[in-house]
Amino acid sequence: MIKLTGISKYYEVMGGRRAVLDNISLSISPGEHVGVLGRNGAGKSTLVRIIGGAEQPSSGQVERGMTVSWPLAFTGGFQPSLTGADNLRFICRIYDVDYAQRVAFVQDFSELGPYLYEPVGIYSSGMRARLAFAISMTIDFDCYLIDEVIAVGDESFRQKCRVELFEKRADKAMIVVSHSHRYLKGTCSRFLLLRDSKVEEYTDFDEAYMQYKMMLEGQDAAASATTTQ
């Protein structure tokens, strides 16, 4: 199980300190698929990074009783002067898995061809994301963090990602961030709505999405009223 207790995250901005997450407590059980909704800037990606350990909370505690992936398609950990293959080799060494058994899969899945042996610094953002997703699939995690990763590449590549992740690893826990109605409803059974730095939990997607749409419409109305004043 992954357990978050009293998690808060603040950023220093012009005019003072802004709370992105405020005293959030929740848990994720093995095999559970949790969808995360919220407007842009609500803290969805921050929450995912904190769960994965890529970012530390300002206060609170994260207990991880499962192995947790980095956010899929997250490319911030790549060394740009190394080739894609060398970055894979380094990650295999960290996780104590055999590089030789995984490089063929990464080359085939990422569809990078000879670019796998070129420095990551020359990759486009899409190429980096393909490499990150492919490498993520070579490590067996108990929980996968998914932050709009299926938006990577063309439809054929996105379908390949869906099969590799949601069909072959359906028994794994997943935390899924997406703006897609169909995507979340089809993959998750529990939903978190981030609103005003707090988390609201729902087991019914239609109710969660209705609240999400009402929140967006309310913000649009408030912004329109401010503009006309």
Side-chain angles (χ1 to χ4, degrees):
M1 177 177 288
I2 299 170
K3 185 177 181 180
L4 280 65
T5 305
I7 295 294
S8 295
K9 182 66 180 181
Y10 303 98
Y11 293 106
E12 297 296 331
V13 298
M14 292 182 61
R17 189 171 68 168
R18 174 176 175 251
V20 178
L21 304 173
D22 183 18
N23 195 31
I24 289 174
S25 296
L26 58 92
S27 61
I28 296 100
S29 299
E32 189 172 27
H33 293 186
V34 181
V36 183
L37 288 160
R39 62 174 178 80
N40 290 334
K44 302 185 299 297
S45 295
T46 299
L47 177 63
V48 165
R49 290 195 300 270
I50 287 174
I51 291 172
E55 189 167 343
Q56 295 301 308
S58 301
S59 62
Q61 184 177 8
V62 181
E63 300 173 58
R64 301 178 186 88
M66 298 186 282
T67 57
V68 184
S69 78
W70 53 84
L72 300 194
F74 173 70
T75 61
F78 286 145
Q79 169 51 252
S81 64
L82 296 179
T83 68
D86 285 337
N87 273 280
L88 169 63
R89 190 189 306 274
F90 179 71
I91 291 169
C92 287
R93 189 173 301 159
I94 290 175
Y95 286 94
D96 193 27
V97 296
D98 185 44
Y99 166 81
Q101 293 180 356
R102 286 159 174 81
V103 64
F105 170 85
V106 169
Q107 179 147 27
D108 177 68
F109 194 93
S110 68
E111 302 174 1
L112 289 173
Y115 283 101
L116 184 64
Y117 301 95
E118 296 289 345
V120 169
I122 71 168
Y123 285 16
S124 67
S125 59
M127 292 167 69
R128 285 179 178 234
R130 284 170 176 256
L131 176 65
F133 187 92
I135 291 177
S136 299
M137 296 297 99
T138 68
I139 310 296
D140 187 31
F141 294 105
D142 298 321
C143 178
Y144 288 90
L145 305 178
I146 306 159
D147 193 350
E148 293 287 7
V149 66
I150 308 301
V152 174
D154 56 24
E155 179 54 34
S156 175
F157 187 79
R158 291 195 294 271
Q159 178 59 26
K160 186 162 66 170
C161 291
R162 285 190 285 267
V163 170
E164 192 68 32
L165 187 57
F166 294 113
E167 294 184 17
K168 295 184 180 181
R169 292 166 176 78
D171 62 329
K172 304 295 186 179
M174 298 181 190
I175 302 169
V176 185
V177 174
S178 179
H179 292 285
S180 169
H181 176 289
R182 181 171 60 88
Y183 181 40
L184 285 178
K185 188 172 185 178
T187 57
C188 300
S189 58
R190 178 180 163 211
F191 308 92
L192 307 178
L193 175 61
L194 285 173
R195 174 161 33 193
D196 298 329
S197 306
K198 301 287 188 180
V199 164
E200 301 170 13
E201 296 197 42
Y202 299 89
T203 55
D204 181 74
F205 176 79
D206 292 332
E207 182 181 359
Y209 196 73
M210 179 184 69
Q211 291 295 328
Y212 169 63
K213 294 292 287 182
M214 289 172 60
M215 178 181 68
L216 294 182
E217 290 166 2
Q219 289 170 344
D220 289 344
S224 177
T226 301
T227 302
T228 57
Q229 287 179 358

